[in-house]
Amino acid sequence: MQFPQSSTIPLYTQIKEALRAKIIDGTYVAHQRLPSESEMINAFGVSRITVRQAMNDLQQEGLLFKVHGKGTFVAMPNVSQELTHLQGFGEAMRHLGHETFSEVFGLSSVPGTAIACLKLGIDLGAQVTEIRRVRYLNREPISIDYSWVRHEIGSNLSEKNLKDKDLFSLLENELGQPLHSADVEIDATSASAEIAARLNVAANSPILRIERLTYASESKPLVFEYIHYRAESFKYKLKVLR
């Protein structure tokens, strides 16, 4: 692939973005070996130092890793999300240049479980909208989300919208439910058979579990969720002041 020499974008940046696009669109999958430096030099028509700069930048971003004597490989997605403000996963990842989408494997009206009804402040057994999704990051499954939404709001959700959009975005922009805050608890657990199968990990593998209760106002809980992340691929981070 040749790049126009008159472009104002440095060649190493063009190469970096071309490789990033191939990782995101699934041309190069996790743990796949990339072409060698010599092959890239010939393919792109650039110098060795230009190829190395592009590769080093992608390695520092966590998209690639090197194995001495064997080459450069695509890394499993490994990202972090700030905990300093309330933000949906897709919203946060798109700001970092990642592709996200969801596979909805459950969307139905069900009697709320005891914990869901308690958290949402509704009568035991009242109807809720239950959402079950696999979240993907750069075409790799990264989390399993189980969400329960107050039925008067959740009944307006569809699988089609949930596939491409964050739940938070749908609630605020399409259902008129501005979000106020969330209570978040984080713990470690092990992957159930369903979670393991959908995340492509071994049963009983360590899983990062997020329990989140999101409010539409200071006193009105709207969504209760359990979010299960692959432990090796995701982390939360925050800065604390003394």
Side-chain angles (χ1 to χ4, degrees):
M1 181 177 179
Q2 298 291 331
F3 293 116
Q5 298 298 316
S6 60
S7 173
T8 57
I9 302 175
L11 287 173
Y12 83 89
T13 301
Q14 295 182 58
I15 294 171
K16 178 175 68 175
E17 295 308 317
L19 292 174
R20 185 202 307 277
K22 289 184 178 294
I23 293 170
I24 289 176
D25 71 16
T27 301
Y28 296 133
V29 298
H31 295 165
Q32 179 177 347
R33 182 183 178 277
L34 290 184
S36 66
E37 282 187 1
S38 297
E39 290 171 322
M40 288 197 185
I41 290 168
N42 292 331
F44 292 114
V46 297
S47 67
R48 186 174 300 275
I49 192 170
T50 299
V51 169
R52 284 185 177 175
Q53 188 169 1
M55 301 282 276
N56 287 340
D57 280 4
L58 290 172
Q59 187 176 2
Q60 290 177 7
E61 292 178 21
L63 291 176
L64 303 178
F65 66 94
K66 293 182 179 179
V67 178
H68 183 68
K70 293 187 177 181
T72 302
F73 298 81
V74 178
M76 287 291 295
N78 191 326
V79 295
S80 61
Q81 182 175 344
E82 295 281 355
L83 260 183
T84 51
H85 62 285
L86 183 58
Q87 194 175 39
F89 175 75
E91 180 185 8
M93 294 302 103
R94 280 191 294 274
H95 288 166
L96 298 175
H98 297 286
E99 178 195 41
T100 65
F101 65 90
S102 299
E103 174 194 343
V104 180
F105 63 95
L107 176 61
S108 59
S109 174
V110 299
T113 61
I115 183 66
C117 290
L118 176 64
K119 293 289 187 177
L120 292 173
I122 58 178
D123 293 337
L124 180 62
Q127 292 294 108
V128 296
T129 299
E130 180 182 77
I131 307 166
R132 296 171 175 247
R133 295 176 292 168
V134 184
R135 305 300 300 274
Y136 286 81
L137 178 71
N138 300 341
R139 307 295 175 95
E140 291 288 336
I142 193 168
S143 78
I144 303 289
D145 298 5
Y146 300 110
S147 308
W148 296 271
V149 187
R150 281 179 172 261
H151 190 56
E152 66 271 19
I153 302 300
S155 59
N156 297 301
L157 295 167
S158 70
E159 287 191 22
K160 183 178 184 299
N161 284 342
L162 286 165
K163 179 181 185 298
D164 299 317
K165 298 180 182 179
D166 266 350
L167 179 57
F168 283 0
S169 175
L170 290 171
L171 290 170
E172 289 195 314
N173 299 326
E174 299 189 19
L175 300 182
Q177 296 291 314
L179 302 180
H180 178 272
S181 58
D183 297 329
V184 178
E185 295 185 17
I186 303 173
D187 65 1
T189 186
S190 57
S192 66
E194 178 178 74
I195 290 173
R198 292 188 180 276
L199 289 183
N200 295 333
V201 299
N204 298 317
S205 294
I207 292 291
L208 181 67
R209 184 177 70 171
I210 315 299
E211 178 186 301
R212 183 170 65 194
L213 179 61
T214 303
Y215 293 80
S217 67
E218 189 170 0
S219 59
K220 182 185 177 182
L222 180 62
V223 185
F224 178 61
E225 300 175 282
Y226 284 118
I227 305 169
H228 306 81
Y229 285 106
R230 297 177 67 135
E232 80 281 9
S233 299
F234 185 84
K235 59 188 174 185
Y236 275 119
K237 64 180 182 179
L238 70 159
K239 182 176 183 178
V240 295
L241 301 177
R242 181 169 174 81

